């Protein structure tokens, strides 16, 4: 790893650890290996959002050319958000792409991601299904995002009606996560979700 | 890229760090222009910001559009603050304990004896200068052998080049020879051509004479009228004349005219020289650069009596007294 990248990451790692956001448990960063090429980040869901109370884990890969190129960041924790892929965790955020600037740091990246959770950009989506729901059925979106937060990010909300629908599908032998994705994608319309799931199964057979 | 912060004694102010490499600014530049117009003035290491601008022409801190032409050295006050910081030597890991002011670091590194790359002479016999850390694995014979090989290669290359040039010279010689023959034939067959050629040759001597500095003879008595023993001196004079662009058609004649037997009646014996001595001061003499000799060219001395001058001129060699 280039000297400059290692030097930067070491410093930024310390910066995050000493920052006041860490003191407030808003962001966190851990080392994955000794060479500072890979880190694990964590951000808390911002208050007054469907993500409140959740903790979202991020994979941070530092390229050899850092800080001249941005770090590669994706969500490990599954999340329902217009700018984050519900399948891969890939993030659509300008500062992680063409708007990266060399003076940005791990801390500013984590805070930007936290801000992204508060203010989605449905017109520049990473996940078209989520973005459509966000625009057309905001309440449905809120419920779904909250549900995902509770299931995957340790959020507090328990939503028994949604859980019931998932159980109906798992009882039919559908894997739980697949059931959740199908229901979320069809605005929790059990019939359409079932149809879609079995069409896929039949297509595979 | 800047200096790592941990090498410095005490705390380093955040303002002195490069936002790109996060080290202490090295060769700092800032974004500003001559007019100090609305530019952000953020400071970076020169190498860091150049690397960034190659990828993206924006300020790494505030993303304002910038160009490399807008990068200028930071103000003296910042440079002074940096120069004052105390930094540990680059060779700390090799045992150097020296801590110097940042502006003295380069001078120290040049003479730091812990520098593993410091050039050292081999003391086992070959005397080659090699980096200190390579002294251990150094093998005189092997090194010298490779040196010989590389020099042999060079020698072969030079020889080949020499052969090539010799070949070209020979070709040109043949061509010149042909041209000379041609010219001679033209002269003989055509009187008008002969007149033109003679005129051209005379003009050339006049032009050449104008490029030579005047000489002053302070002791005419130092004249050597029979320089038969001075073969070497004559060769040197001829060479100098040639180097100073003497027209080739007169050079041999001029050199022959350095002996009294070729001189005009007023000069060709001790007796006649005695009687015409008063006229010496009227000669216009030209320097033969670096030599105790003068050129007395016919074209410069048409004012002299006929018995004091010959075509195309004469060379006078002196023991001393030429300025």
């Amino acid at each position: 790893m280039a000297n400059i990248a290692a030097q930067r990451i070491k410093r930024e790692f310390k910066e995050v650890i000493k920052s006041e956001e860490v003191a407030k448990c808003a962001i966190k960063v851990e080392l994955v290996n000794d060479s500072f090429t890979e880190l694990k980040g964590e951000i808390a869901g911002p208050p007054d959002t469907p993500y409140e109370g959740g903790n979202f884990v991020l994979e941070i890969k530092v390229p050899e050319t850092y800080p001249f190129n941005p770090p590669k960041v994706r969500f490990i924790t599954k999340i329902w958000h217009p700018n984050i892929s519900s399948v891969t965790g890939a993030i659509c955020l300008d500062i992680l792409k063409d708007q990266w600037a060399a003076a940005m740091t791990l801390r500013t990246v984590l805070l930007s991601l936290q801000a992204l959770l508060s203010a989605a950009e449905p017109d520049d989506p990473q996940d078209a299904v989520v973005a459509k729901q966000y625009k057309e059925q905001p309440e449905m979106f809120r419920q779904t995002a909250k549900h995902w937060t509770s299931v995957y990010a340790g959020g507090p909300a328990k939503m028994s009606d949604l859980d019931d629908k998932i159980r109906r599908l798992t009882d039919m032998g559908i894997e739980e996560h697949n059931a959740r994705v199908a229901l979320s994608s069809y605005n929790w319309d059990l019939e359409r979700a079932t149809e879609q799931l079995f069409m896929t199964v039949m297509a595979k057979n | 890229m800047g200096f790592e912060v941990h090498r410095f004694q005490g705390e380093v102010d955040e303002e002195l760090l490069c936002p790109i490499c996060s080290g202490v600014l090295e060769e700092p530049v800032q974004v500003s222009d001559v007019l100090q117009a609305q530019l952000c003035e953020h400071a970076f290491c020169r190498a860091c910001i150049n690397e960034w601008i190659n990828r993206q022409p924006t300020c790494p801190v505030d993303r304002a559009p910038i160009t490399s032409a807008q990068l200028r050295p930071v103000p003296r006050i910042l440079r002074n603050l940096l120069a004052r910081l105390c930094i540990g030597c680059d060779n700390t890991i090799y045992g150097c304990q020296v801590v110097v002011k940042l502006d003295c670091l380069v001078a120290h590194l040049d003479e730091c004896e812990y520098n593993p790359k410091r050039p050292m002479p081999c003391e086992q016999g070959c005397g080659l200068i090699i980096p200190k850390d390579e002294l251990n694995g150094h093998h005189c014979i092997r090194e010298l052998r490779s040196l010989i090989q590389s020099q042999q290669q060079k020698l072969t290359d030079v020889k080949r080049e020499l052969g090539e040039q010799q070949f070209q010279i020979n070709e040109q010689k043949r061509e010149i020879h042909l041209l000379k023959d041609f010219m001679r034939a033209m002269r003989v067959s055509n009187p008008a051509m002969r007149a033109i050629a003679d005129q051209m040759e005379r003009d050339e001597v006049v032009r050449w004479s104008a490029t030579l500095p005047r000489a002053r003879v302070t002791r005419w008595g130092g004249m050597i009228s029979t320089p038969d023993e001075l073969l070497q001196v004559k060769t040197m004079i001829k060479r100098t004349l040639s180097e100073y662009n003497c027209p080739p058609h007169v050079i041999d004649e001029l050199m022959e005219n350095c002996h009294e037997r070729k001189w005009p009646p007023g000069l060709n014996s001790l007796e006649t020289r005695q009687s015409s001595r008063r006229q010496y001061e009227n000669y216009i003499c030209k320097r033969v650069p670096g030599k105790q000799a003068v050129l007395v060219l016919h074209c410069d001395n048409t004012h002299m009596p006929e018995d004091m001058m010959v075509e195309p001129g004469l060379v006078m060699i002196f023991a001393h007294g030429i300025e």
Side-chain angles (χ1 to χ4, degrees), chain A residues 129-173:
Chain A
V129 176
V130 185
K132 188 163 182 284
Q133 189 184 60
Y134 181 93
K135 289 214 281 200
E136 293 172 2
Q137 307 210 39
E139 184 49 31
M140 184 67 76
F141 163 80
R142 236 180 52 78
Q143 291 292 322
T144 312
K146 212 165 167 183
H147 170 72
W148 280 55
T149 305
S150 111
V151 175
Y152 297 114
K158 287 285 169 276
M159 297 149 109
S160 42
D161 51 336
L162 303 186
D163 288 337
D164 284 347
K165 288 185 179 174
I166 291 171
R167 200 165 312 114
R168 296 272 295 278
L169 286 175
T170 53
D171 287 347
M172 286 189 266

Side-chain angles (χ1 to χ4, degrees), chain A residues 93-107:
Chain A
L93 180 60
D94 56 358
I95 61 152
L96 292 177
K97 294 172 183 165
D98 56 336
Q99 289 299 303
W100 169 254
M104 292 176 177
T105 64
L106 291 178
R107 178 173 159 266

Side-chain angles (χ1 to χ4, degrees), chain A residues 7-8 11 67 69 99 101 104, chain B residues 1 17 19-20 55 60 63:
Chain A
Q7 179 177 324
R8 271 273 308 241
R11 214 182 138 72
N69 290 109
Q99 289 299 303
M104 292 176 177
Chain B
M1 152 175 192
L17 303 185
I20 298 178
R55 292 160 196 260
R63 288 198 293 240

Side-chain angles (χ1 to χ4, degrees), chain A residues 55-163:
Chain A
N55 273 310
F56 298 88
V57 180
L58 300 153
E59 174 190 84
I60 304 171
K61 287 189 170 164
V62 182
E64 192 117 329
T65 49
Y66 188 80
F68 299 105
N69 290 109
K72 295 186 171 62
V73 187
R74 72 178 187 95
F75 276 80
I76 300 280
T77 306
K78 298 202 175 301
I79 183 168
W80 192 251
H81 186 284
N83 303 107
I84 300 158
S85 165
S86 59
V87 183
T88 62
I91 304 166
C92 177
L93 180 60
D94 56 358
I95 61 152
L96 292 177
K97 294 172 183 165
D98 56 336
Q99 289 299 303
W100 169 254
M104 292 176 177
T105 64
L106 291 178
R107 178 173 159 266
T108 57
V109 165
L110 292 178
L111 292 176
S112 299
L113 286 171
Q114 208 173 30
L116 184 68
L117 296 189
S118 310
E121 282 283 351
D123 292 325
D124 185 18
Q126 180 73 33
D127 194 313
V129 176
V130 185
K132 188 163 182 284
Q133 189 184 60
Y134 181 93
K135 289 214 281 200
E136 293 172 2
Q137 307 210 39
E139 184 49 31
M140 184 67 76
F141 163 80
R142 236 180 52 78
Q143 291 292 322
T144 312
K146 212 165 167 183
H147 170 72
W148 280 55
T149 305
S150 111
V151 175
Y152 297 114
K158 287 285 169 276
M159 297 149 109
S160 42
D161 51 336
L162 303 186
D163 288 337

Side-chain angles (χ1 to χ4, degrees), chain B residues 35-139:
Chain B
L35 302 168
Q36 294 290 313
Q38 302 287 313
L39 286 170
C40 62
E41 302 191 330
H42 286 117
F44 311 92
C45 304
R46 184 184 289 283
C48 293
I49 188 67
N50 281 339
E51 169 114 35
W52 171 257
I53 282 190
N54 283 339
R55 292 160 196 260
Q56 208 167 305
T58 57
C59 169
V61 178
D62 57 19
R63 288 198 293 240
I66 55 170
T67 65
S68 45
Q70 289 165 335
L71 298 176
R72 295 180 199 284
V74 296
R76 178 184 299 273
I77 182 167
L78 181 50
R79 289 198 305 262
N80 288 350
L81 286 173
L82 285 166
R84 209 177 284 170
L85 296 174
C86 291
I87 186 170
C89 173
D90 288 25
N91 302 313
T92 308
I93 50 166
Y94 303 110
C96 183
Q97 302 286 322
V98 169
V99 172
V100 288
K101 293 255 189 298
L102 191 51
D103 59 345
C104 303
L105 182 63
V106 174
H108 166 70
L109 288 179
D110 278 347
E111 57 193 31
C112 176
E113 49 186 282
Y114 292 91
N115 177 5
K117 293 281 173 205
R118 196 157 64 108
M120 299 275 283
C122 166
E123 281 165 5
Q124 292 163 29
C126 76
L128 291 175
I129 306 288
I130 35 183
K132 191 176 164 190
D133 61 344
E134 287 169 30
L135 268 180
N136 265 343
H138 171 73
H139 190 281

